[in-house]
Amino acid sequence: MKDNKPLPKWKNKLHEVIYEADTPSGKFFDILLFILIIISVILVMLESIDDFDEHHHDTLLSLEWIITVFFTLEYIARLISIKKPLKYVFSFYGIIDFLSTIPLYLSYILAGSQVLLAVRAFRLLRIFRILKLVKFMGEASQLQSALKSSRAKIAVFIYVVLILSVILGTIMYIVEGDESGFTSIPKSIYWTIVTLTTVGYGDIAPQTNLGQFLATVIMILGYGIIAVPTGIVTAEFARNKNNSNHEDDDGFMVHVNTQACPSCGIEGHRDDATHCFNCGHPL
Amino acid sequence: MKDNKPLPKWKNKLHEVIYEADTPSGKFFDILLFILIIISVILVMLESIDDFDEHHHDTLLSLEWIITVFFTLEYIARLISIKKPLKYVFSFYGIIDFLSTIPLYLSYILAGSQVLLAVRAFRLLRIFRILKLVKFMGEASQLQSALKSSRAKIAVFIYVVLILSVILGTIMYIVEGDESGFTSIPKSIYWTIVTLTTVGYGDIAPQTNLGQFLATVIMILGYGIIAVPTGIVTAEFARNKNNSNHEDDDGFMVHVNTQACPSCGIEGHRDDATHCFNCGHPL
Amino acid sequence: MKDNKPLPKWKNKLHEVIYEADTPSGKFFDILLFILIIISVILVMLESIDDFDEHHHDTLLSLEWIITVFFTLEYIARLISIKKPLKYVFSFYGIIDFLSTIPLYLSYILAGSQVLLAVRAFRLLRIFRILKLVKFMGEASQLQSALKSSRAKIAVFIYVVLILSVILGTIMYIVEGDESGFTSIPKSIYWTIVTLTTVGYGDIAPQTNLGQFLATVIMILGYGIIAVPTGIVTAEFARNKNNSNHEDDDGFMVHVNTQACPSCGIEGHRDDATHCFNCGHPL
Amino acid sequence: MKDNKPLPKWKNKLHEVIYEADTPSGKFFDILLFILIIISVILVMLESIDDFDEHHHDTLLSLEWIITVFFTLEYIARLISIKKPLKYVFSFYGIIDFLSTIPLYLSYILAGSQVLLAVRAFRLLRIFRILKLVKFMGEASQLQSALKSSRAKIAVFIYVVLILSVILGTIMYIVEGDESGFTSIPKSIYWTIVTLTTVGYGDIAPQTNLGQFLATVIMILGYGIIAVPTGIVTAEFARNKNNSNHEDDDGFMVHVNTQACPSCGIEGHRDDATHCFNCGHPL
């Protein structure tokens, strides 16, 4: 309860700029962050092209330094402008923010800079937060809830597909053998999934008549069972739609804004809210 | 307002022939145009086949000249038979019509005739206008409105797919390396999309065990998430259908014809309309 | 009207056996026909395998002779046991039956026996008639009516896909050029459709960066627009289901049998019908 | 009726542990079984990797012995703790259990140990029983009933796809010939299914212009008709959902548990059941 006193004014201002997108400066900050993330990921891509990296290594490094410095400052600002920094540090986005900041520092300690490339690519995940604040909130949450409620059915489906793949893969391994590229059961299972999902690379392909016949069966199977996840998700979408129509009668729909509670960081407050619905802290 | 006087009679006649499809001459003109566009595109294809082009270059060029002259005359006729030519020039179909006319002229000015081939293929887009006038209006608009209303959801979906591809592509780049063809992150992202969309060329394919395992995960992911756009569009179709049934009760459905306003060029007038619903010009 | 007298008794009996499946002998005839068709198609397959054909050419030929003789007799029986043979000869199944009979005879006249192989494969189409008589009538007709009522929408869809393929194919031809296998625009369009439909052979694959980027766009496009035909057909299925429920209230559902009119050959008579609903001939 | 006396107490206890999952010891047994099955299948995979098998053959064999002994004991326990062992032996899971036990014993009798690998992979099917007992019962049964009721439609669909494949495959064989890999009609049909299901390996690909044109038609066909099974299953899912909602009004939903009848082995008893609903044996 003693935590309940408001933040000092300048921290409050900083909080508004960094965590929210309702004020002009908040919007500007989000757009700047968005652009920097995109640039940062393009840098990662360019660095991976050997030709390009050789000729422009220094430019790429300098730009990465600028972005790292900005991300470092931003991370510090996020820490000091929130009341419960620890909660932020161990939240999903807190970890992503931290990982976005450290790759360049780590590259001076660790040798294998390859893995750090991947860490830098994870910066893209930060975009989800920005978009969540700005746009598509309703659409994305509708998608999410449809997927969530069909989660169990999809799990059963994937589970059946996997068991099928193991059994069919083992049979194909016995039928085809080493000559056609089915050198082991795991490789054979890999081929089965490539076929069942209708990807079909062709790096491994059955050569024997029986193998090709079985492949045919697997393909038609895969072609048919793709209907199952589609059916599940579609039925869920249709149901969700009906439900949300019903909500107009039974419940209420209120407008929420992008404000985040300065104390606990929770989002989705009503436009007319004066206190956080989670911790009661004044907004 | 002073523009509101009708066009001279011969221009009016020309307008009817070129812009509308309700009169026999208008229909004939549309069919002629349709055939010429198809021939023109076939010419483009034949010209691209080196063998064929060598032996029949002169014939192809003459035919292209005939079509270009016809398109030029048609473009001029369109300009003079409409009241506000500038509006037409900068409309979508105005630009397409212009681009359909110029490639042959440009080929004498510019050297790189390759790009002009593409411009000539764009003539196909003109077919949409003819079809819009003649047929399928209802069906196409139903498709269009279903896609339009699920636009935001599809955008979110494609956005998530892209982010996923970048992150998974980066991981695959680190796992596989140069030997398997994953020479850079962009190439690796290209492979990821090839796999996620179940296209699966096989020009690049994972060779390591870990890489093949990850590929398996990506495939099943792609196989599963294809359900999402399908679910979205299907739910939208089903809703649209219901809505259009409701419209029978609440609103009205009127028959529109293919007449275009001679002044502003807008289409979709009611059968019994005497004035343009957009600019008030008499029809 | 003078045609309206019944067939002689033995012809009537023959008609029942050949054209209907309600009597034991009619059922037996259908099953025999079914087996012969399947054997005949297997013979075609075996003949196409060079190794097998070399060693068993005489056996294959004798079996084909047996089947051809049976089909010839059956064709004659069909002709004499129906009142209006000409109508049968020029009906869809009449032509299929005729084509099923002649390949072996023709092979002694014509040299290119390759094409006759295809004609023999068409015998498979005869199975549809047998199945229509025996089973799945309701299911198949439901599928058919759903596809029929979404025909126009699917036509618009395929039309848009084709135009898209031509334009994208032309662009890819210009971007990629001969080195990557994009040797002409038709070949390039072939590749585009291979990609758009997520088949992805990999016999032609983009090599340039821009080409791979465009390929990525085409893939995601293809991955997304597959939702459209699915949405159309699903919505139609759902609607059909509702409609058929409504029919219970408004209309009537009657049981039909597999009897065919001995005069005009039309099928789908009510169980309690005594006269053909099409020509009035007594059943 | 004389069979109706309960099992001796220790057998009853054993029955509860092995066949049910409601008691802590029953749950523990199921989890142990689950882990052993997974390990057993991983052993099969590792054994198929030549490199790994060479270095760790003895370890793999010992582990397989441990699992085989456990499965043997379990099979015996299942036999003695059920009243009608013969019914169990010839039930689906009875046969799977038996096949899971014997491969190692057989390997000392039979030489071709390859086929035994497949038999060992079938152990995975046992997992379905465990899962059926523990979880996902509702979800899986919903999937199952939707698939069951659309079975006839899917059969018609697959049937049409197969006939189409044979006819199109024969045509492609004639068009393409041996040079492109279309060496026989069965191989050509294999290619057609690879294309129609949008798998597209690319091991066989058309080379002639006509062949590529036909391939294009097949692809668009395959791309379009994938909508059919999806439409069928989706409509069925939607209907099932509605039906199950109706059931709330008309019928009753009761909670069932994982208890299996000690006499006849049937499952799905109501929570408050005291006698088997199938054979009347007390639970």
Side-chain angles (χ1 to χ4, degrees):
Chain A
M1 278 299 154
K2 70 172 187 228
D3 240 16
N4 222 346
K5 63 178 180 189
L7 286 164
K9 210 158 183 197
W10 67 272
K11 281 194 181 180
N12 224 336
K13 191 80 195 284
L14 199 61
H15 181 272
E16 225 174 86
V17 171
I18 294 180
Y19 284 94
E20 290 164 34
D22 294 332
T23 57
S25 52
K27 236 172 212 160
F28 172 79
F29 179 81
D30 275 348
I31 291 165
L32 180 69
L33 199 58
F34 184 86
I35 292 166
L36 281 175
I37 292 168
I38 297 294
I39 290 174
S40 144
V41 173
I42 290 169
L43 287 181
V44 174
M45 290 187 194
L46 292 176
E47 216 178 299
S48 78
I49 304 169
D50 292 341
D51 259 27
F52 193 92
D53 189 42
E54 253 169 59
H55 291 86
H56 305 86
H57 188 75
D58 292 342
T59 323
L60 289 175
L61 193 67
S62 330
L63 284 169
E64 178 63 20
W65 261 118
I66 294 170
I67 286 166
T68 298
V69 167
F70 179 89
F71 281 2
T72 311
L73 293 176
E74 184 219 340
Y75 188 70
I76 295 168
R78 277 186 191 275
L79 280 181
I80 56 175
S81 72
I82 205 164
K83 270 211 160 166
K84 298 180 178 163
L86 272 184
K87 221 172 187 172
Y88 162 70
V89 166
F90 294 107
S91 71
F92 176 70
Y93 282 116
I95 292 163
I96 293 289
D97 289 350
F98 182 69
L99 288 175
S100 299
T101 313
I102 52 164
L104 198 56
Y105 302 126
L106 279 180
S107 72
Y108 289 90
I109 308 171
L110 299 166
S113 67
Q114 282 293 66
V115 178
L116 294 175
L117 274 179
V119 176
R120 279 162 65 190
F122 274 106
R123 284 174 183 165
L124 264 181
L125 291 176
R126 305 189 68 192
I127 286 183
F128 282 113
R129 174 163 53 187
I130 301 175
L131 288 182
K132 204 174 90 195
L133 287 170
V134 185
K135 242 185 164 185
F136 295 130
M137 276 176 96
E139 301 299 343
S141 78
Q142 230 174 308
L143 278 176
Q144 226 170 15
S145 78
L147 288 178
K148 212 177 238 167
S149 55
S150 48
R151 206 175 27 181
K153 276 205 204 68
I154 287 176
V156 172
F157 171 72
I158 287 177
Y159 181 77
V160 172
V161 165
L162 285 181
I163 294 213
L164 224 65
S165 301
V166 172
I167 291 174
L168 291 170
T170 309
I171 294 172
M172 285 303 287
Y173 166 72
I174 294 162
V175 167
E176 283 287 328
D178 285 9
E179 302 83 40
S180 327
F182 294 76
T183 49
S184 69
I185 290 180
K187 194 141 280 179
S188 199
I189 292 169
Y190 161 72
W191 174 87
T192 308
I193 292 178
V194 166
T195 301
L196 204 63
T197 56
T198 76
V199 170
Y201 287 130
D203 52 346
I204 309 171
Q207 305 295 333
T208 66
N209 292 330
L210 183 55
Q212 293 188 339
F213 174 74
L214 284 173
T216 296
V217 172
I218 296 173
M219 280 170 226
I220 290 180
L221 209 69
Y223 193 58
I225 61 180
I226 203 172
V228 176
T230 308
I232 295 168
V233 175
T234 305
E236 216 50 63
F237 268 117
R239 207 180 60 91
N240 265 23
K241 206 146 246 166
N242 291 350
N243 278 13
S244 64
N245 286 350
H246 276 270
E247 262 176 354
D248 291 346
D249 305 325
D250 305 339
F252 294 95
M253 297 290 278
V254 295
H255 278 277
V256 297
N257 57 23
T258 64
Q259 238 181 323
C261 171
S263 170
C264 68
I266 209 158
E267 282 160 14
H269 299 290
R270 296 176 57 150
D271 267 350
D272 54 353
T274 55
H275 287 77
C276 174
F277 69 84
N278 187 39
C279 66
H281 193 279
L283 294 172
Chain B
M1 278 297 154
K2 68 173 188 226
D3 240 14
N4 221 347
K5 61 177 180 191
L7 287 164
K9 211 160 184 192
W10 67 271
K11 282 194 180 178
N12 225 336
K13 191 80 195 282
L14 199 61
H15 182 271
E16 226 175 85
V17 171
I18 295 180
Y19 283 95
E20 290 163 33
D22 294 333
T23 57
S25 53
K27 238 173 211 160
F28 173 78
F29 179 81
D30 275 349
I31 292 165
L32 180 71
L33 201 57
F34 184 85
I35 293 166
L36 281 175
I37 292 169
I38 298 292
I39 291 174
S40 144
V41 172
I42 291 170
L43 288 181
V44 173
M45 290 186 193
L46 292 176
E47 216 178 300
S48 78
I49 304 169
D50 291 342
D51 260 27
F52 193 93
D53 190 43
E54 252 170 58
H55 291 86
H56 305 84
H57 187 77
D58 292 342
T59 323
L60 290 175
L61 193 66
S62 328
L63 284 168
E64 178 63 19
W65 261 117
I66 293 171
I67 286 166
T68 298
V69 167
F70 179 88
F71 281 1
T72 311
L73 292 176
E74 184 218 343
Y75 188 70
I76 295 167
R78 277 185 193 275
L79 280 180
I80 56 174
S81 72
I82 204 164
K83 269 212 160 165
K84 296 181 178 161
L86 274 183
K87 223 170 186 174
Y88 162 69
V89 167
F90 293 108
S91 71
F92 177 69
Y93 282 117
I95 292 163
I96 294 290
D97 290 350
F98 183 69
L99 288 176
S100 299
T101 313
I102 53 164
L104 197 56
Y105 302 126
L106 279 181
S107 72
Y108 289 89
I109 308 171
L110 300 166
S113 68
Q114 283 294 67
V115 178
L116 294 176
L117 274 181
V119 175
R120 279 162 66 190
F122 273 105
R123 284 174 183 165
L124 263 181
L125 291 176
R126 303 188 69 192
I127 285 183
F128 282 113
R129 174 165 52 187
I130 300 175
L131 288 183
K132 204 175 90 197
L133 287 170
V134 184
K135 245 186 163 183
F136 294 131
M137 277 176 96
E139 301 298 342
S141 79
Q142 230 174 308
L143 279 176
Q144 227 171 14
S145 78
L147 288 177
K148 213 176 237 169
S149 56
S150 49
R151 205 174 28 180
K153 276 205 203 68
I154 287 176
V156 172
F157 171 72
I158 287 177
Y159 182 77
V160 172
V161 165
L162 284 181
I163 294 213
L164 224 66
S165 301
V166 172
I167 291 174
L168 291 170
T170 309
I171 294 172
M172 285 303 287
Y173 167 71
I174 294 161
V175 168
E176 282 287 328
D178 285 8
E179 302 83 42
S180 326
F182 294 76
T183 49
S184 68
I185 290 180
K187 195 141 279 178
S188 199
I189 292 169
Y190 161 73
W191 173 86
T192 308
I193 292 178
V194 167
T195 302
L196 203 64
T197 56
T198 76
V199 171
Y201 288 129
D203 52 345
I204 309 171
Q207 304 295 334
T208 65
N209 291 332
L210 183 54
Q212 293 188 338
F213 175 74
L214 284 173
T216 296
V217 173
I218 295 173
M219 280 170 227
I220 290 179
L221 208 68
Y223 193 59
I225 60 179
I226 203 172
V228 176
T230 308
I232 295 169
V233 175
T234 305
E236 215 50 61
F237 268 116
R239 206 180 61 91
N240 265 24
K241 208 148 243 165
N242 291 351
N243 276 14
S244 63
N245 287 349
H246 276 269
E247 260 176 355
D248 292 345
D249 305 326
D250 305 338
F252 294 95
M253 297 290 278
V254 294
H255 277 277
V256 297
N257 55 24
T258 65
Q259 238 181 325
C261 171
S263 171
C264 69
I266 209 158
E267 281 161 13
H269 299 290
R270 296 174 58 149
D271 267 349
D272 54 354
T274 55
H275 288 79
C276 173
F277 69 83
N278 187 39
C279 65
H281 193 279
L283 295 170
Chain C
M1 276 299 155
K2 69 172 189 229
D3 241 17
N4 221 348
K5 60 176 182 192
L7 287 165
K9 212 159 183 195
W10 67 272
K11 281 194 181 179
N12 225 337
K13 190 84 197 281
L14 198 62
H15 182 272
E16 226 174 85
V17 171
I18 296 181
Y19 283 95
E20 288 163 34
D22 294 332
T23 57
S25 53
K27 239 175 210 159
F28 172 78
F29 179 80
D30 276 347
I31 291 164
L32 180 70
L33 200 58
F34 184 85
I35 292 167
L36 281 176
I37 292 168
I38 297 294
I39 290 174
S40 143
V41 173
I42 290 169
L43 287 181
V44 173
M45 289 186 195
L46 292 176
E47 216 178 299
S48 78
I49 304 169
D50 292 342
D51 259 28
F52 194 92
D53 189 43
E54 253 170 59
H55 291 85
H56 306 84
H57 187 76
D58 292 343
T59 324
L60 289 176
L61 193 66
S62 329
L63 285 168
E64 178 62 20
W65 261 117
I66 294 170
I67 286 166
T68 297
V69 167
F70 179 88
F71 281 1
T72 310
L73 292 175
E74 184 218 343
Y75 188 69
I76 294 167
R78 276 186 193 274
L79 279 181
I80 57 174
S81 72
I82 204 165
K83 269 213 162 165
K84 298 182 177 161
L86 274 183
K87 224 172 184 173
Y88 162 70
V89 167
F90 294 108
S91 71
F92 177 69
Y93 282 117
I95 291 164
I96 294 288
D97 289 351
F98 183 69
L99 289 176
S100 299
T101 313
I102 52 164
L104 197 56
Y105 302 126
L106 279 180
S107 72
Y108 289 89
I109 308 171
L110 299 167
S113 67
Q114 283 293 67
V115 178
L116 293 176
L117 275 179
V119 176
R120 280 162 66 189
F122 274 106
R123 285 175 181 162
L124 264 180
L125 291 176
R126 304 188 70 192
I127 286 184
F128 282 113
R129 174 165 51 189
I130 301 174
L131 289 182
K132 205 174 89 196
L133 288 170
V134 184
K135 243 186 164 185
F136 294 131
M137 276 176 96
E139 300 299 343
S141 79
Q142 229 174 310
L143 278 176
Q144 227 171 14
S145 79
L147 288 177
K148 213 177 237 168
S149 55
S150 49
R151 204 176 28 180
K153 277 205 203 67
I154 287 177
V156 171
F157 171 72
I158 287 178
Y159 182 77
V160 172
V161 165
L162 284 181
I163 294 213
L164 224 66
S165 301
V166 172
I167 291 174
L168 291 170
T170 308
I171 294 173
M172 285 303 287
Y173 167 70
I174 293 161
V175 167
E176 282 287 328
D178 286 9
E179 301 82 43
S180 326
F182 294 76
T183 49
S184 68
I185 290 180
K187 194 141 280 177
S188 200
I189 292 170
Y190 161 72
W191 172 87
T192 308
I193 292 178
V194 166
T195 301
L196 204 63
T197 56
T198 76
V199 171
Y201 289 129
D203 52 345
I204 309 170
Q207 304 295 333
T208 66
N209 291 331
L210 183 55
Q212 293 189 338
F213 174 74
L214 283 173
T216 296
V217 173
I218 294 172
M219 281 169 225
I220 291 179
L221 208 68
Y223 193 59
I225 61 179
I226 202 170
V228 176
T230 309
I232 294 169
V233 175
T234 306
E236 214 52 59
F237 269 117
R239 205 179 61 92
N240 264 24
K241 208 147 243 164
N242 291 351
N243 276 14
S244 64
N245 286 350
H246 276 268
E247 260 176 353
D248 291 346
D249 305 326
D250 305 338
F252 293 96
M253 298 290 279
V254 294
H255 278 278
V256 296
N257 56 23
T258 65
Q259 237 180 327
C261 171
S263 169
C264 69
I266 209 159
E267 282 161 11
H269 299 291
R270 297 175 57 150
D271 267 349
D272 54 354
T274 55
H275 288 78
C276 173
F277 68 84
N278 187 39
C279 67
H281 195 279
L283 293 172
Chain D
M1 275 299 153
K2 69 173 189 227
D3 241 17
N4 221 346
K5 62 177 182 191
L7 286 165
K9 210 155 184 196
W10 67 272
K11 281 195 181 180
N12 225 336
K13 190 81 196 283
L14 198 62
H15 181 272
E16 225 174 86
V17 171
I18 295 181
Y19 283 94
E20 288 163 34
D22 294 332
T23 57
S25 53
K27 236 174 212 162
F28 172 79
F29 179 81
D30 276 346
I31 291 165
L32 180 70
L33 200 58
F34 184 86
I35 292 166
L36 280 175
I37 292 168
I38 297 294
I39 290 174
S40 145
V41 172
I42 291 169
L43 287 181
V44 174
M45 290 188 196
L46 292 176
E47 215 179 299
S48 78
I49 304 169
D50 292 342
D51 258 27
F52 194 92
D53 189 42
E54 252 169 59
H55 291 86
H56 305 86
H57 188 76
D58 291 343
T59 323
L60 289 176
L61 194 66
S62 331
L63 284 169
E64 178 62 21
W65 261 119
I66 294 171
I67 286 166
T68 297
V69 166
F70 180 89
F71 281 1
T72 311
L73 293 176
E74 184 219 341
Y75 188 70
I76 294 167
R78 276 185 193 274
L79 279 181
I80 57 175
S81 72
I82 205 164
K83 269 213 161 163
K84 299 181 177 160
L86 272 184
K87 223 173 185 171
Y88 162 70
V89 167
F90 295 107
S91 71
F92 176 70
Y93 282 117
I95 292 164
I96 294 288
D97 289 351
F98 182 69
L99 289 176
S100 299
T101 313
I102 53 164
L104 197 55
Y105 303 126
L106 278 182
S107 72
Y108 288 89
I109 309 171
L110 299 166
S113 67
Q114 282 293 66
V115 178
L116 295 176
L117 274 180
V119 175
R120 279 163 65 190
F122 274 105
R123 285 175 182 162
L124 263 181
L125 291 176
R126 304 188 69 191
I127 286 184
F128 282 113
R129 174 163 54 189
I130 301 175
L131 288 182
K132 204 174 90 197
L133 288 170
V134 185
K135 242 185 165 185
F136 294 131
M137 276 176 97
E139 301 298 344
S141 78
Q142 228 174 311
L143 278 177
Q144 227 171 14
S145 78
L147 287 177
K148 214 177 238 166
S149 55
S150 48
R151 204 176 27 180
K153 276 206 204 65
I154 287 176
V156 172
F157 171 72
I158 287 178
Y159 182 77
V160 172
V161 165
L162 284 181
I163 294 214
L164 224 66
S165 301
V166 171
I167 291 174
L168 291 170
T170 308
I171 294 173
M172 285 302 287
Y173 167 70
I174 294 162
V175 168
E176 282 287 327
D178 286 9
E179 302 82 42
S180 326
F182 293 77
T183 50
S184 68
I185 290 180
K187 195 141 278 178
S188 199
I189 292 169
Y190 162 72
W191 172 87
T192 307
I193 293 178
V194 167
T195 302
L196 203 64
T197 56
T198 76
V199 171
Y201 288 129
D203 52 346
I204 308 171
Q207 304 295 333
T208 65
N209 291 331
L210 183 54
Q212 293 189 338
F213 174 75
L214 284 172
T216 296
V217 173
I218 295 172
M219 281 170 225
I220 290 180
L221 209 69
Y223 192 58
I225 61 180
I226 203 172
V228 177
T230 309
I232 295 168
V233 175
T234 306
E236 216 51 60
F237 268 117
R239 207 179 62 91
N240 265 25
K241 207 146 244 166
N242 290 351
N243 277 13
S244 64
N245 286 349
H246 276 268
E247 262 177 354
D248 291 347
D249 306 324
D250 306 336
F252 293 95
M253 299 289 280
V254 295
H255 277 277
V256 297
N257 57 22
T258 64
Q259 237 180 325
C261 171
S263 170
C264 68
I266 209 158
E267 282 161 12
H269 300 291
R270 295 175 57 149
D271 267 349
D272 54 353
T274 55
H275 288 77
C276 173
F277 68 84
N278 186 40
C279 65
H281 193 279
L283 294 172

